[in-house]
Amino acid sequence: MDYHKRFADTILSERLNSSGAVLIEGAKGCGKTETAVQQSANIVRFDIDEQARLKMEIDPKTILTGKTPLLLDEWQEFPRIWNYIRREVDERKQKGQFILTGSAAPDDDINRHSGMGRFSVMRMRPMSLYEKGWSTGEVSLFNLIKGNTPHSNDVTFELGELTEKIILGGWPGLIGESYSEGFRFSNDYMTLLAEADISKVSNKRRDPYRVTRLLQSLARNVSTEVSLTALSKDTGGSDKKLDDETVAEYLSALERLMATDNLPAWNTHIRSSDMLRKMPKRHFTDPSMAVGVLGLSIDNLLNNLNYLGLLFESLAVRDLRIYADKNGGKLYHYRDSQGLEIDAVVEYANGVWGAFEVKLGIGAVDAAAANLLKLVAKIDTEKTGNPSALTVITGNGFAYKRPDGINVVPLSTLTA
């Protein structure tokens, strides 16, 4: 299968030009290895290369010889290779020597140096709609945040077609496949996550039944701020409530596997005495995972438009993160004690920011625009600065700016 270009290609190239080693982190199946291979001169695959595993036992430094950049795939199988790489980077004093890829973060090790000044870390996610050819790319997020007025042709997806795209997700291995194959993939993915992966990364046996119930609870509460206590109660089921500490350990393991990708709260300045809520919004790394673990069909989703709207929000958050990453932006959400919620805030290092509401139906645009204007009224712009863009992301239609200054942009027109 031909390699499909990713925004991560550019990010990786930039990191290799500025750092001795680049660590690519991301969920299993998101395409880390294939992306790294495009810019590697040599590859060591720790998960299948018996010779490499033997060298790790005898003399790890011999693995790091040969042409560069050298790709060390699934490096977390042997976490101690980190310190050898750090030492090599120090001695060679050259950029772009090593690429490390892994689908699980290793245990913290006080003997493993932080890597500051030697390693650059980048997060890869599944493919965006644009990267899969499902977005026209007529509206650039970066240009939108700079204050440019969006324009696009009218795009129309039948609700069933959009639902199929959510089920297929952004997995590069499913390019060209049917939605039924996408459902099987995500269902198998989540089964293996519960039965094998989480126990492996935890270094202890985890009850697959409990893990599955937690995954299902996260799926039912996708794009919400469901609390740890609520997850514990839901995961325990009719048997009994599972204690918060155990569920927290499960959640930590899922984060290490990069299966979840929670959206942190925006830490900003507001004029009023309202308090900012700090709880993150729950998301999987791809909304297809929620569909897979709940075993939902297209008909199930079309008969529950409220839940489909939450999945659409998660889809938009995934894509906004990918597009923002391209130019160093970060994504957050906003919620205060008076109940005002904003689905996404994109903020760049120079302080430039924009806010986004995500609505599947065009009929909800007016209410979403009113929310965005309420946010601006609450923000202390003397400290935070004025937003460069206020935008409602929709499922269909065309991109334009309303008389009140709010942009309306279909997700299927967006790119970085």
Side-chain angles (χ1 to χ4, degrees):
M1 186 175 64
D2 292 337
Y3 179 74
H4 288 71
K5 291 290 185 180
R6 312 278 297 268
F7 292 118
D9 297 324
T10 301
I11 297 172
L12 176 57
S13 179
E14 291 171 350
R15 301 293 180 89
L16 286 171
N17 287 331
S18 61
S19 302
V22 180
L23 169 60
I24 307 177
E25 296 184 325
K28 188 180 296 183
C30 74
K32 302 179 299 298
T33 301
E34 283 304 309
T35 292
V37 163
Q38 309 308 310
Q39 300 186 48
S40 301
N42 203 359
I43 306 171
V44 175
R45 301 181 187 271
F46 280 123
D47 55 339
I48 60 174
D49 189 338
E50 292 298 329
Q51 194 69 17
R53 299 175 78 89
L54 182 61
K55 287 180 179 179
M56 279 301 302
E57 298 298 328
I58 300 172
D59 187 1
K61 190 173 180 179
T62 59
I63 290 176
L64 306 181
T65 59
K67 294 181 179 179
T68 59
L70 170 63
L71 168 59
L72 302 161
D73 190 34
E74 298 297 343
W75 74 277
Q76 79 280 354
E77 295 279 335
F78 294 95
R80 62 196 182 99
I81 195 66
W82 179 280
N83 286 334
Y84 286 93
I85 294 170
R86 176 181 62 84
R87 184 65 63 188
E88 282 295 309
V89 170
D90 284 345
E91 291 177 357
R92 296 181 189 184
K93 294 181 173 56
Q94 294 179 337
K95 308 297 184 184
Q97 295 299 293
F98 305 102
I99 305 174
L100 294 78
T101 56
S103 51
D107 287 325
D108 289 334
D109 184 346
I110 59 173
N111 296 316
R112 181 158 53 91
H113 192 278
S114 69
M116 186 176 295
R118 297 122 170 139
F119 288 80
S120 179
V121 182
M122 60 178 281
R123 174 74 178 261
M124 266 192 75
R125 296 178 169 88
M127 299 174 78
S128 63
L129 291 182
Y130 179 77
E131 290 168 312
K132 293 199 77 171
W134 293 341
S135 168
T136 65
E138 294 169 275
V139 180
S140 159
L141 174 64
F142 189 62
N143 289 336
L144 195 65
I145 297 296
K146 288 200 302 185
N148 294 354
T149 299
H151 299 284
S152 80
N153 292 314
D154 198 358
V155 293
T156 303
F157 279 122
E158 295 293 334
L159 206 52
E161 184 181 0
L162 182 59
T163 306
E164 288 183 11
K165 297 188 184 312
I166 290 174
I167 292 174
L168 271 169
W171 309 106
L174 291 178
I175 291 176
E177 298 289 350
S178 66
Y179 77 89
S180 58
E181 184 61 30
F183 174 79
R184 281 192 292 271
F185 174 88
S186 59
N187 187 261
D188 290 344
Y189 191 110
M190 300 304 276
T191 298
L192 288 171
L193 190 65
E195 294 184 354
D197 292 348
I198 197 167
S199 293
K200 183 178 180 181
V201 79
S202 301
N203 294 318
K204 66 166 67 173
R205 176 67 175 167
R206 297 297 191 187
D207 182 353
Y209 171 76
R210 297 289 196 193
V211 176
T212 298
R213 286 193 61 89
L214 174 60
L215 292 170
Q216 290 171 338
S217 183
L218 288 169
R220 285 190 292 269
N221 292 285
V222 71
S223 301
T224 74
E225 299 163 75
V226 62
S227 68
L228 177 62
T229 299
L231 290 172
S232 301
K233 182 177 179 180
D234 200 15
T235 302
S238 58
D239 302 337
K240 61 177 181 178
K241 175 186 169 184
L242 205 61
D243 67 89
D244 289 1
E245 184 178 350
T246 300
V247 172
E249 289 176 0
Y250 285 6
L251 291 173
S252 177
L254 292 172
E255 289 176 3
R256 286 181 56 201
L257 288 164
M258 285 153 281
T260 53
D261 200 1
N262 295 328
L263 190 61
W266 192 33
N267 184 20
T268 188
H269 302 277
I270 54 179
R271 295 191 182 99
S272 69
S273 60
D274 298 349
M275 294 184 63
L276 294 174
R277 301 305 191 191
K278 301 299 185 183
M279 190 175 295
K281 270 195 174 183
R282 308 284 183 179
H283 291 277
F284 288 108
T285 196
D286 193 280
S288 64
M289 298 165 73
V291 178
V293 77
L294 292 176
L296 300 175
S297 66
I298 287 182
D299 287 341
N300 293 148
L301 293 171
L302 292 178
N303 288 327
N304 189 344
L305 294 183
N306 286 335
Y307 185 65
L308 184 59
L310 293 173
L311 290 175
F312 180 69
E313 179 183 333
S314 193
L315 178 72
V317 165
R318 182 202 70 188
D319 279 13
L320 285 171
R321 277 176 148 155
I322 294 169
Y323 301 149
D325 279 348
K326 170 67 167 54
N327 294 291
K330 301 294 183 184
L331 218 66
Y332 307 91
H333 80 94
Y334 175 96
R335 185 168 182 260
D336 62 35
S337 58
Q338 296 303 307
L340 179 61
E341 298 182 42
I342 300 297
D343 296 326
V345 175
V346 178
E347 187 174 43
Y348 292 90
N350 60 1
V352 174
W353 64 279
F356 297 79
E357 281 277 76
V358 182
K359 300 298 176 186
L360 181 57
I362 295 177
V365 168
D366 285 344
N371 265 2
L372 291 167
L373 293 173
K374 288 178 185 176
L375 172 70
V376 176
K378 288 193 171 191
I379 294 296
D380 188 344
T381 53
E382 290 187 3
K383 296 179 179 178
T384 305
N386 289 304
S388 298
L390 299 171
T391 305
V392 181
I393 295 178
T394 62
N396 280 313
F398 59 93
Y400 65 98
K401 177 172 283 189
R402 292 163 40 115
D404 58 6
I406 305 296
N407 301 312
V408 179
V409 177
L411 185 60
S412 51
T413 66
L414 266 179
T415 185

